[in-house]
Amino acid sequence: MKPWETYFREVEPYVAGEQPKLTSMIKLNTNENPYPPAPDVIDAIREMNMERLKLYPDPACEQLITAIADTYEVSAEQVFVGVGSDDVLGMAFLTFFNSPKPVLFPDITYSFYDVWAKLFQIPYRQPALDENYHIQKEDYYEENGGVVLANPNAPTSIYEDLHFIRDIIEHNQDVVVIVDEAYIDFGGTSAIELVKEYKNLLVVQTYSKSRSLAGMRIGYAIGDPGLIQAMQNVKYSYNSYTMNQTSIAAGVASMKAKQYFEECRNKIMDTREWTKKELANLGFSFPDSMTNFLFVTHESVPAKDLFEALRKENIFVRYFNKPRLDNHLRITIGTKEEMIKLIAFLYSYLKGNCSEHTRGFA
């Protein structure tokens, strides 16, 4: 070890889903949207004045913030934007969680939370989900330094209603409560409507899932102006120009393309319900998903075997080699054509490996 290496900050980084570079595959492992962005987004990018790329973008992202504020009927002072919801969440951790008391988030949830906590040296505790993978709200009644909840949760796909979320906020009035709603557009009611009641609530969403812009990296938070200003102060102390001009233009156009947004998310939800029925017929079980993915386990075939068999066919799903998760797969909802191919392969595979358990392919 070199002398300067003694002072390196050592962290175990977040591991993103595999991004294979194949020309022919079915990619259902990273919860991306299978449909292209709205045509208006493509037009906005094409119509950009490329000469302006030599200039810094607007650090305040006023056009994007205005479009988001108008959509959710909040003031611009209640909106923060960042480079994907990961950037927004990381900034929130850095801004709000500076207490010696532990921040609370579930033991099974988005696995970036504990990475940020370790990186920023934030104490944390992870109450266990119950045997059905639900949050136990009483675990969040104790004294703490903040609360973070993904709702719907990932990778379990489970949504808790607003009465449940309200109860946790009510029991945590002296800390910031973050509700991470990356998947809220695929089912359930957003906690944004609670922001007007609770000054300590921050709701985070993303363009990556329902708006087909994972490649543009746009995330946003909605909360009390006091919370937003605190995050802005930290952002401007770290990197003023976080959002590039192309992302701002695409984000504005996407937020305004409401009809296209509704059409795409409805297609995904319809395909999700079809896929649920087909997987159940094949012996799979799963929570009632309110997301763009399913958290599945098979009655007789180990998840790892299924993962490897699918991968050999260039069908990519997510496998977590972790306690309580290692017999489940997370399967993103793709196009109807992609899901038909997935089900057809699973039917063939299961018929050959455990025919006595196979119930037929519709």
Side-chain angles (χ1 to χ4, degrees):
M1 179 178 288
K2 302 293 190 297
W4 58 84
E5 293 178 318
T6 305
Y7 302 102
F8 285 6
R9 177 163 293 183
E10 294 184 4
V11 292
E12 185 176 340
Y14 170 76
V15 179
E18 183 180 7
Q19 294 287 359
K21 296 177 174 60
L22 303 173
T23 56
S24 178
M25 63 177 172
I26 297 177
K27 190 171 183 297
L28 308 174
N29 66 327
T30 48
N31 293 345
E32 294 142 326
N33 195 307
Y35 301 106
D40 291 351
V41 171
I42 308 302
D43 291 342
I45 294 172
R46 286 175 176 159
E47 292 167 9
M48 280 185 62
N49 180 357
M50 296 303 170
E51 280 290 313
R52 290 194 57 80
L53 294 181
K54 67 186 178 185
L55 305 176
Y56 283 117
D58 173 15
C61 305
E62 288 186 8
Q63 287 184 313
L64 180 58
I65 283 176
T66 298
I68 294 169
D70 289 348
T71 297
Y72 292 99
E73 299 181 340
V74 298
S75 69
E77 291 74 25
Q78 290 180 276
V79 181
F80 178 92
V81 298
V83 186
S85 59
D86 288 344
D87 182 45
V88 175
L89 287 162
M91 203 69 66
F93 270 63
L94 190 59
T95 304
F96 302 124
F97 299 151
N98 295 289
S99 164
K101 300 171 186 176
V103 173
L104 303 180
F105 47 85
D107 65 331
I108 298 175
T109 190
Y110 185 33
S111 56
F112 223 141
Y113 299 157
D114 65 308
V115 174
W116 284 313
K118 292 171 185 173
L119 177 63
F120 300 138
Q121 300 181 347
I122 299 166
Y124 68 96
R125 195 173 74 76
Q126 295 182 271
L129 299 181
D130 70 16
E131 65 276 9
N132 295 314
Y133 297 103
H134 281 268
I135 294 168
Q136 302 179 85
K137 62 183 179 180
E138 293 78 12
D139 289 337
Y140 297 84
Y141 291 175
E142 66 181 53
E143 195 172 12
N144 62 72
V147 174
V148 185
L149 301 173
N151 192 44
N153 197 12
T156 65
S157 79
I158 294 173
Y159 166 79
E160 304 291 354
D161 66 29
L162 283 192
H163 295 293
F164 184 98
I165 298 300
R166 182 191 293 275
D167 184 82
I168 291 179
I169 300 170
E170 285 285 351
H171 283 85
N172 290 278
Q173 287 294 286
D174 56 348
V175 297
V176 172
V177 177
I178 298 175
V179 180
D180 180 359
E181 293 187 338
Y183 303 99
I184 194 64
D185 289 328
F186 300 107
T189 303
S190 172
I192 289 174
E193 67 180 59
L194 301 180
V195 166
K196 60 181 177 290
E197 299 179 48
Y198 299 102
K199 292 183 179 297
N200 64 320
L201 171 62
L202 188 78
V203 180
V204 179
Q205 294 192 11
T206 179
Y207 277 66
S208 296
K209 315 302 181 184
S210 58
R211 296 187 182 275
S212 305
L213 284 176
M216 279 294 178
R217 312 307 300 130
I218 308 172
Y220 53 98
I222 294 176
D224 181 79
L227 297 184
I228 300 305
Q229 186 59 58
M231 290 181 68
Q232 296 284 24
N233 292 343
V234 172
K235 169 189 170 180
Y236 290 142
S237 301
Y238 177 72
N239 181 1
S240 296
Y241 301 105
T242 55
M243 184 71 65
N244 67 66
Q245 292 186 20
T246 308
S247 292
I248 291 172
V252 171
S254 178
M255 192 58 66
K256 292 180 177 179
K258 295 179 181 179
Q259 182 177 345
Y260 184 86
F261 164 75
E262 292 291 344
E263 289 172 356
C264 282
R265 76 170 188 148
N266 286 338
K267 282 194 290 187
I268 290 169
M269 290 189 290
D270 288 345
T271 303
R272 179 186 68 198
E273 298 310 304
W274 178 87
T275 304
K276 284 180 184 178
K277 295 176 183 177
E278 298 302 327
L279 288 174
N281 287 338
L282 291 174
F284 287 91
S285 58
F286 38 84
D288 185 22
S289 173
M290 297 289 271
T291 65
N292 67 334
F293 63 87
L294 299 175
F295 180 61
V296 310
T297 186
H298 193 263
E299 60 190 14
S300 59
V301 180
K304 188 174 182 181
D305 292 352
L306 289 165
F307 167 75
E308 291 173 349
L310 287 162
R311 198 173 189 280
K312 288 178 182 177
E313 297 295 313
N314 290 341
I315 302 174
F316 294 87
V317 298
R318 193 78 188 267
Y319 172 69
F320 299 92
N321 189 18
K322 296 181 179 181
R324 298 186 70 192
L325 298 177
D326 59 0
N327 199 33
H328 288 78
L329 298 175
R330 193 191 69 191
I331 303 175
T332 303
I333 302 301
T335 64
K336 183 67 173 289
E337 293 73 22
E338 288 174 329
M339 303 315 286
I340 288 173
K341 290 177 182 177
L342 168 74
I343 296 298
F345 172 77
L346 288 172
Y347 170 75
S348 176
Y349 178 82
L350 293 170
K351 185 176 182 181
N353 287 268
C354 54
S355 57
E356 69 275 14
H357 296 286
T358 302
R359 302 172 188 169
F361 168 51

